[in-house]
DNA sequence: CATCTGACACTAT
DNA sequence: TATAGTGCCAGAT
């Protein structure tokens, strides 16, 4: 799985970005956004700067966030304040086909919520 | 095998 | 819109 995630991340072309959730989903693990972060942190050789939080937010510490932002701008990605225009830069992964048990996440949730 | 952890996502304030 | 709290999954320890 870690490999799948890493591979997915590697698919993001230069000048493009993606989000943890999107990567996780594309890799076939819809709810494992957190693992994406772990993979990024452990696996070397990944375009980590192209992975952002939901909505294009940077979840890194200021120093690293600055670094990431710099790198991305170098690749041609423009920032809108503290965020990135995902509308334009979010990379669209090919159909994963592995659409894993998306179960009734919503159902389960609503059951708990109300 | 049991617990802790993580660069998150999502909802409610 | 920004901040805080809660849920989640699988890898590491």
């Amino acid at each position: 799985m870690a490999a799948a995630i890493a591979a997915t991340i590697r698919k993001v072309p230069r000048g493009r970005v993606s989000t943890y959730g999107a990567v996780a989903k594309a890799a076939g693990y819809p709810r494992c956004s957190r693992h994406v972060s772990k993979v990024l942190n452990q696996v070397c050789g990944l375009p980590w700067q192209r992975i952002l939080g939901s909505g294009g937010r940077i979840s890194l510490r200021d120093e690293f966030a600055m670094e990431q932002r710099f790198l991305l701008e170098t690749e041609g990605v423009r920032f809108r304040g503290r965020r990135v225009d995902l509308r334009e830069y979010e990379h669209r992964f090919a159909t994963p086909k592995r659409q894993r048990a998306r179960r009734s996440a919503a159902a389960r949730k609503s059951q708990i919520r109300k």
Side-chain angles (χ1 to χ4, degrees), chain A residues 5-24:
Chain A
I5 293 177
T8 303
I9 294 171
R10 268 186 281 254
K11 288 176 191 164
V12 181
R14 181 167 165 289
R16 261 315 132 82
V17 301
S18 188
T19 65
Y20 300 89
V23 171

Side-chain angles (χ1 to χ4, degrees), chain A residues 37-105:
Chain A
S37 63
K38 213 173 246 184
V39 172
L40 281 171
N41 199 19
Q42 290 174 24
V43 182
C44 297
L46 294 176
W48 62 273
Q49 69 271 34
R50 295 177 195 157
I51 310 304
L52 305 165
S54 65
R57 295 193 335 286
I58 294 182
S59 349
L60 290 160
R61 294 290 181 183
D62 301 293
E63 317 143 47
F64 298 98
M66 205 169 70
E67 179 73 7
Q68 177 173 33
R69 180 172 164 169
F70 175 75
L71 289 170
L72 286 176
E73 290 188 317
T74 299
E75 295 189 345
V77 177
R78 299 202 178 192
F79 277 71
R80 216 233 293 128
R82 306 171 185 172
R83 298 193 173 183
V84 176
D85 280 328
L86 288 182
R87 306 172 305 171
E88 292 192 55
Y89 303 105
E90 182 171 31
H91 174 69
R92 314 227 175 188
F93 297 98
T95 315
K97 287 184 179 178
R98 295 197 50 186
Q99 287 296 325
R100 277 221 168 182
R102 60 174 48 198
R103 320 205 177 194
S104 13

